[in-house]
Amino acid sequence: MTAAVTLQALDIISAEHRGMWRLASALDGLGAQLQADLEAEGAAPAIVAMLEYLQAYTDRLHHPKEDQVLFRLLRQRSEEADAHIARLEADHRHGPAHLERLLMQARALASGVAIDLPAFCTALKSFVAHQQAHIRLEETTVMPLARRMLTAADWEEANAAFAANDDPMFGAAPRAEFAALHARIVRLAPEPYGLGGAAEPLPAVAAVPKTAPAAKVLEVRGLTSHYGRIQALKGIDIDVFEGQLVALVGANGAGKTTLLRTLSGVQPASGGDIVYRGASIVRQRPDARVRAGICQVPEGRQVFGPLSIEDNLLLGAYTRPKGERAEDLDKAYALFPILAEKRKLPAGTLSGGQQQMLAMARALMARPRLLLLDEPSMGLAPLLIEEIFRVVKTLRAQGMTILLVEQNAHAALSIADVGYVLETGGIGLSGPGQELLRNEQVKKAYLGM
């Protein structure tokens, strides 16, 4: 039994737990709003959406895999685990009825039916506390026991069961049903938990089939850049192929943003070469790079606050023929429905999450062939971070080539084809995203593990 084999199944379980914990925390916050009679009108539909997601996902997918596979195997290997597993299984049996009662009350509240609001808020708080205690027991007691006691053959069976994962945040083959439920939560939840908009159906996204070997889009060799006498990039070498999502992770000051600025031409290169689709662009002006299809979503959003949302989007299409702009606006609004609702408002009135969506939509208006994303999750609430990454995965499924800079290393490497770890201006590590997630050096330095 090796650590890599052991962690494959448990990493999936922990990823699911993190998603459920974030939902539970948001439910707790919305319940507190209800109890204070603040934003009650906006909180109730979001609570319904969150409870429906938990009902659909945990009871139909997460719990059965634990009961039928992990708990069964662990019982065979450890008497010590039996009492803990019995408690967890009891939660799995009785939890759905409790959740259904809570959901019926939440639906009534969202429909305008009078209910005992203090009692509902107390029940919601109790439900959240119970969910978090359940996750805590698994993470701190049961999963460490599994690491110690299960055999290589046990892990092979567990890995196969949990790898068939349908969750939209963590699975390899997400179900549209769960993706739509999660996006609905984010749109309905009032700020700061979500976007505070109307619930609209997501457009269907068809993945682009990959039939031929991917062509190289970007080749960076020996790239250096300076701020005065200070060298920020120290001989960077990276490759990006057509349709890939490549993640650049690293600590603050590692050179991630400088690298993107150098690729887009905003920061001059002092040495090395940038080859884009077979031609060197290292001396090309920034506007020429945009026309060639390199578009950057800058760190910190940088929207034009006094201009309307629609005008911000149209600025993104400045280099495109006028006849294409209406179609591209429709696509942007389909991807980010909250922007369509607020299209005539000044961009400066948007929340941080809404501004991030506007910045991404503005870049997409230029029809990029290489999208540079700089820290898209910075400063956002956890649910909004998940929605941003859902959009990134959607763009990748549509065949877009993406170079993603992100301090949230776990989120970035989880969805990346290839990852690079930047350390003080140079490449420290590189490899497939999933491989870097399991790398002990990356875990200690960037994943807090």
Side-chain angles (χ1 to χ4, degrees), residues 240-241 243-247 369-373 391-393 395-396 400-404:
V240 180
F241 288 84
Q244 273 191 335
L245 195 162
V246 176
R369 301 174 71 196
L370 173 61
L371 182 64
L372 309 178
L373 282 174
V391 171
V392 173
K393 290 198 292 184
L395 295 173
R396 178 186 175 232
M400 185 168 290
T401 307
I402 301 171
L403 186 56
L404 169 66

Side-chain angles (χ1 to χ4, degrees), residues 188 405 440:
L188 282 174
V405 158
E440 292 300 323

Side-chain angles (χ1 to χ4, degrees), residues 290-448:
V290 173
R291 287 181 169 85
I294 301 176
C295 299
Q296 182 173 352
V297 179
E299 178 184 3
R301 276 75 85 173
Q302 298 186 29
V303 300
F304 296 95
L307 298 182
S308 71
I309 289 163
E310 190 149 299
D311 284 344
N312 269 267
L313 293 174
L314 291 173
L315 280 174
Y318 182 78
T319 62
R320 305 299 308 173
K322 289 185 178 180
E324 297 176 350
R325 294 178 186 177
E327 178 186 351
D328 290 340
L329 276 174
D330 289 341
K331 289 180 180 178
Y333 290 142
L335 192 60
F336 301 108
I338 193 69
L339 300 182
E341 294 174 25
K342 300 172 179 283
R343 67 175 74 188
K344 298 303 180 185
L345 296 179
T349 65
L350 297 178
S351 68
Q354 293 164 357
Q355 287 191 15
Q356 183 61 57
M357 292 178 176
L358 175 57
M360 292 176 70
R362 182 179 60 191
L364 294 176
M365 289 290 292
R367 298 195 179 184
R369 301 174 71 196
L370 173 61
L371 182 64
L372 309 178
L373 282 174
D374 195 356
E375 301 279 11
S377 73
M378 180 179 287
L380 302 185
L383 288 178
L384 289 174
I385 292 172
E386 291 184 356
E387 180 67 1
I388 291 296
F389 276 91
R390 179 195 69 80
V391 171
V392 173
K393 290 198 292 184
T394 296
L395 295 173
R396 178 186 175 232
Q398 293 172 339
M400 185 168 290
T401 307
I402 301 171
L403 186 56
L404 169 66
V405 158
E406 182 56 61
Q407 203 168 355
N408 186 339
H410 191 281
L413 294 175
S414 294
I415 64 173
D417 297 299
V418 176
Y420 291 88
V421 179
L422 267 67
E423 297 175 348
T424 59
I427 301 294
L429 291 168
S430 64
Q434 293 299 317
E435 185 178 297
L436 288 178
L437 272 178
R438 295 191 293 269
N439 182 284
E440 292 300 323
Q441 183 180 343
V442 174
K443 284 182 178 181
K444 290 177 183 177
Y446 304 107
L447 304 181

Side-chain angles (χ1 to χ4, degrees), residues 1 19 24 34 54 78 92 125 132 134 151 153 165 175-176 185 217 233 251 297 301 305 360 379 392-393 407 437:
M1 179 174 64
L34 274 177
L54 286 172
S78 170
H92 293 179
K125 190 172 187 65
Q132 292 177 330
H134 182 99
T151 67
N165 192 333
R175 287 186 182 176
I185 288 170
V217 172
L233 300 180
V297 179
R301 276 75 85 173
M360 292 176 70
V392 173
K393 290 198 292 184
Q407 203 168 355
L437 272 178

